[in-house]
Amino acid sequence: MNIKEKILKKIIRVDQAGELGAQQIYQGQKMIFKLQKNKRDFDQISKMAKDEEEHLDFFDNIAKEKKIRPTKLKGLFGFGAYAMGVGTALMGAKAAYVCTEAVEEIIEKHYQKQIDQLDGIDEELKEKIIKFREDEVEHKNTAIDEGSREAFGYSVLRKTINETTKAAIFLAERL
């Protein structure tokens, strides 16, 4: 396997895992907001989840096409992300938005690094990731607009989720 193939394999595997995690976070949050009859935040989270669904479908399809197996930690990531979604939603809508802000803050930088890596390797994938990065920035800004920074324990929660996201990326790139 040459270096270009290794880069593509790593990018597709980690991004597929990340989009699965995003879906699971939003599914957990939506469940809580539905139980709480919080239609406003349920609808806002659902809108962002729809974008993530497009991203996940893309990475699922390209992984299948290129015969790239998902991360070995797929089940653990799915469970952990769902628990993160449920937990932050139970802390309140603003905490749920901290989760979005914190995750997307890391993903924005992660996608930019990949965009730079893809120069001269795969322009089509690069263009998709540029579009997905723009979606993630929009989600981060939506979360801020919805009051993420007003959440109780904002700094600690944001930092914890930032570091958890970084760890998940590190592991998914390797396993």
Side-chain angles (χ1 to χ4, degrees), residues 35-169:
L35 289 171
Q36 294 173 341
K37 296 180 177 29
N38 178 345
K39 182 171 172 23
R40 182 184 180 285
D41 293 307
F42 178 90
D43 290 347
Q44 184 66 269
I45 295 295
S46 296
K47 183 176 178 273
M48 292 187 288
K50 187 78 174 147
D51 290 337
E52 302 296 354
E53 188 177 319
E54 175 194 341
H55 303 177
L56 180 58
D57 288 346
F58 173 80
F59 286 114
D60 281 348
N61 290 333
I62 197 169
K64 188 176 188 178
E65 174 189 311
K66 294 186 181 289
K67 296 178 174 54
I68 298 171
R69 67 162 177 76
T71 177
K72 292 176 183 174
L73 300 173
K74 182 179 178 180
L76 178 64
F77 285 170
F79 176 78
Y82 189 82
M84 184 183 291
V86 168
T88 56
L90 285 171
M91 293 170 68
K94 287 181 181 2
Y97 291 118
V98 173
C99 185
T100 297
E101 178 189 350
V103 169
E104 301 301 25
E105 181 175 51
I106 300 303
I107 299 307
E108 177 184 357
K109 293 173 189 168
H110 171 72
Y111 274 166
Q112 187 59 55
K113 180 180 167 192
Q114 290 180 339
I115 291 163
D116 296 342
Q117 284 181 306
L118 286 167
D119 274 338
I121 293 177
D122 189 322
E123 292 303 314
E124 189 176 328
L125 179 57
K126 178 181 167 182
E127 290 304 314
K128 273 293 195 187
I129 293 176
I130 288 169
K131 191 260 187 221
F132 294 166
R133 184 181 151 278
E134 290 168 359
D135 291 344
E136 308 302 8
V137 169
E138 183 181 321
H139 298 164
K140 179 184 77 175
N141 291 336
T142 297
I144 292 166
D145 291 346
E146 291 294 334
S148 63
R149 295 181 175 175
E150 300 163 18
F152 177 78
Y154 168 77
S155 295
V156 172
L157 185 57
R158 182 177 146 265
K159 181 71 170 166
T160 302
I161 295 169
N162 280 163
E163 296 306 317
T164 301
T165 304
K166 288 178 191 176
I169 289 169

